[in-house]
């Protein structure tokens, strides 16, 4: 119960510590609105498993493992995307360093590392894109920190 509460409040680092692993899931990559692509931040869109607790709406640093075993830093948004008039919760992840082929229909495992900020509505797509870039810098720092710590304890 406490772990579910922590996840729903965005306390993902504490929840991960208690779980002994990272919260997230593996699911098929589906088509979205292609807005991320227009902003220069193409995302992996995934349907969240209905049995999982819903994390706090917002942006997270994440680690993405693709079907070929490649791992990438992710910037994961969980929420309704109020800037573009969304109404149903979505889980989407941008991998700033990924330069490969489209991944529709493939599986991706996305695990949340840190909570960056709550979801909010922006006055323009330009402001949204600027914020995504700031979030990406924070996600890269968090990804490096978490992974360097993990390597120290091996």
């Amino acid at each position: 119960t406490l772990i579910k509460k922590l996840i729903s409040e965005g306390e993902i680092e504490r929840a991960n510590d208690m779980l002994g692993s990272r919260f997230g899931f593996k699911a098929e990559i589906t088509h979205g609105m292609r807005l991320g692509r227009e902003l220069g931040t193409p995302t992996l869109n995934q349907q969240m498993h209905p049995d999982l607790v819903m994390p706090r709406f917002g942006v997270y640093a994440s680690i993405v493992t693709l079907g070929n075993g490649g791992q990438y830093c992710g910037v994961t948004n969980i929420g309704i995307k109020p800037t573009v008039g969304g109404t149903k919760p979505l889980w989407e992840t941008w991998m700033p360093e990924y330069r490969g082929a489209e991944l529709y229909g493939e599986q991706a495992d996305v695990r949340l590392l840190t909570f960056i900020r709550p979801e909010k509505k922006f006055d323009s797509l330009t402001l949204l894109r600027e914020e995504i870039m700031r979030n990406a810098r924070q996600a890269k720092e968090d990804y490096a920190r978490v992974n360097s710590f993990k390597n120290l304890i091996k």
Side-chain angles (χ1 to χ4, degrees):
T1 301
L2 177 57
I3 294 171
K4 288 179 178 181
K5 182 178 187 293
L6 291 170
I7 291 168
S8 70
E9 293 175 351
E11 296 287 336
I12 200 66
E13 288 182 269
R14 286 185 56 206
N16 287 346
D17 286 344
M18 293 180 76
L19 284 167
S21 63
R22 296 171 178 150
F23 175 80
F25 65 92
K26 183 176 183 176
E28 181 178 339
I29 299 163
T30 61
H31 290 275
M33 295 172 39
R34 297 186 181 256
L35 178 62
R37 181 172 310 222
E38 291 175 29
L39 295 173
T41 59
T43 58
L44 307 176
N45 296 283
Q46 296 173 292
Q47 296 297 316
M48 188 169 165
H49 294 283
D51 295 340
L52 289 178
V53 61
M54 180 65 74
R56 179 179 179 187
F57 284 2
V59 178
Y60 295 79
S62 59
I63 184 168
V64 182
T65 305
L66 300 178
N68 65 6
Q71 287 193 333
Y72 297 88
C73 170
V75 182
T76 298
N77 181 70
I78 300 169
I80 60 168
K81 302 192 320 185
T83 302
V84 295
T87 57
K88 76 175 199 179
L90 301 169
W91 179 292
E92 61 181 347
T93 302
W94 173 45
M95 299 178 294
E97 306 298 326
Y98 180 75
R99 300 290 181 267
E102 288 190 1
L103 298 166
Y104 298 118
E106 295 187 30
Q107 298 279 317
D109 187 277
V110 179
R111 301 291 160 166
L112 304 181
L113 302 176
T114 62
F115 183 79
I116 296 175
R117 66 165 177 85
E119 183 173 55
K120 67 181 194 177
K121 183 175 182 173
F122 293 87
D123 291 333
S124 71
L125 292 180
T126 300
L127 292 174
L128 172 61
R129 185 179 191 293
E130 290 170 1
E131 182 67 19
I132 291 170
M133 294 303 143
R134 280 190 291 277
N135 298 159
R137 286 190 293 278
Q138 182 66 55
K140 289 177 188 178
E141 289 175 15
D142 292 353
Y143 177 86
R145 177 181 52 82
V146 170
N147 282 329
S148 66
F149 178 73
K150 183 181 87 172
N151 292 333
L152 289 175
I153 59 174
K154 280 187 177 177

